[in-house]
């Protein structure tokens, strides 16, 4: 067999698993966000020290906090919630797309989906790098909101209103997953137009 030979069947399973992870996980957060945009904001309270200290760890607390701001801030929060709900719709749709690839697309034709997942995951990692380290990737949202400047990480006990969030875990995990997607995409291209011995996927 040309292409990757017998390894192509192994590659198919690696691809199944790597696409199956977001296919399983995305609907959880997606449906949660579709039902209530405040859900993910409440989850942030579990890891963010400023929100945790203010006890903003539930949807009710999120709404209570935003409700007590001025009219313009409440309106901005409203649109943010709408975008979070729309994000949830994208997550569910992305999950469905991953399942379609797993069940309907042979491994030698999966380079494009894995390149797309590489972009998705690595761009999220870059967003995290911009947030935590002021990496030059789009706007420095923290600095624009009055947070610490480039390269600084505020100490919560010193300046609670000047904190650059710590999102290293998300940054590393998305970067690693994205790089693996890139490798899988390249291997799928190497397989070329040769079907695997194992088709359909399941």
């Amino acid at each position: 067999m040309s292409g990757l030979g017998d390894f192509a069947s192994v590659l198919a399973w690696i691809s199944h698993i790597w696409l199956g992870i977001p296919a399983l996980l995305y609907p959880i957060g997606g449906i949660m966000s579709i039902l209530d945009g405040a859900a993910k904001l409440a989850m942030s309270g579990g890891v963010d020290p400023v929100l945790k200290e203010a006890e903003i760890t539930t949807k009710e607390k999120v709404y209570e906090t935003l409700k007590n701001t001025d009219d313009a801030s409440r309106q901005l929060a409203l649109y943010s919630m709408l975008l979070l709900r729309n994000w949830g719709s994208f997550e569910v749709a992305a999950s469905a797309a991953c399942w379609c690839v797993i069940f309907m697309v042979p491994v030698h034709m999966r380079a494009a989906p894995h390149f797309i997942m590489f972009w998705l995951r690595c761009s999220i990692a870059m967003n995290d790098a911009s947030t935590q380290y002021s990496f030059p990737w789009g706007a420095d949202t923290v600095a624009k909101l009055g947070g610490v400047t480039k390269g600084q990480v505020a100490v919560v006990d010193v300046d609670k209103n000047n904190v650059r969030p710590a999102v290293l875990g998300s940054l590393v995990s998305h970067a690693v997953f994205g790089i693996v997607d890139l490798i899988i995409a390249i291997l799928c291209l190497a397989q070329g137009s040769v079907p695997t011995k194992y088709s359909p996927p399941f």
Side-chain angles (χ1 to χ4, degrees):
M1 177 184 284
S2 56
L4 297 177
D6 291 337
F7 180 70
S9 294
V10 177
L11 177 62
W13 277 105
I14 295 173
S15 175
H16 297 342
I17 293 169
W18 221 244
L19 292 173
I21 293 171
L24 288 170
L25 294 180
Y26 284 1
I28 298 173
I31 292 171
M32 185 191 321
S33 295
I34 291 171
L35 294 176
D36 194 331
K40 285 187 177 175
L41 294 178
M43 290 172 62
S44 302
V47 295
D48 187 278
V50 175
L51 297 176
K52 190 181 294 185
E53 183 174 328
E55 298 182 343
I56 304 175
T57 56
T58 64
K59 293 182 290 184
E60 291 72 22
K61 261 305 226 188
V62 170
Y63 282 117
E64 179 184 337
T65 302
L66 295 174
K67 188 170 62 176
N68 292 327
T69 60
D70 59 81
D71 291 343
S73 297
R74 281 198 301 275
Q75 201 68 7
L76 287 172
L78 173 64
Y79 285 110
S80 297
M81 295 287 187
L82 175 60
L83 291 173
L84 282 168
R85 297 183 76 178
N86 292 345
W87 174 19
S89 298
F90 272 99
E91 285 184 296
V92 174
S95 169
C98 287
W99 284 120
C100 288
V101 173
I102 291 170
F103 284 103
M104 301 171 67
V105 181
V107 69
H108 66 280
M109 298 177 66
R110 290 193 187 180
H114 283 288
F115 277 127
I116 291 169
M117 292 304 295
F118 159 71
W119 158 254
L120 173 62
R121 286 163 162 160
C122 284
S123 64
I124 291 174
M126 298 293 276
N127 293 338
D128 292 334
S130 173
T131 300
Q132 181 162 353
Y133 300 111
S134 192
F135 187 82
W137 171 263
D140 186 344
T141 310
V142 177
K144 285 183 175 292
L145 290 173
V148 293
T149 56
K150 182 177 180 180
Q152 294 180 312
V153 178
V155 179
V156 177
D157 293 337
V158 176
D159 189 351
K160 295 173 182 174
N161 297 317
N162 207 29
V163 178
R164 186 170 283 276
V167 289
L168 182 61
S170 174
L171 191 165
V172 171
S173 62
H174 281 101
V176 169
F177 271 70
I179 290 169
V180 173
D181 267 306
L182 178 61
I183 294 170
I184 295 173
I186 293 170
L187 290 174
C188 290
L189 286 176
Q191 175 62 10
S193 60
V194 183
T196 68
K197 290 180 180 179
Y198 191 68
S199 183
F202 290 108

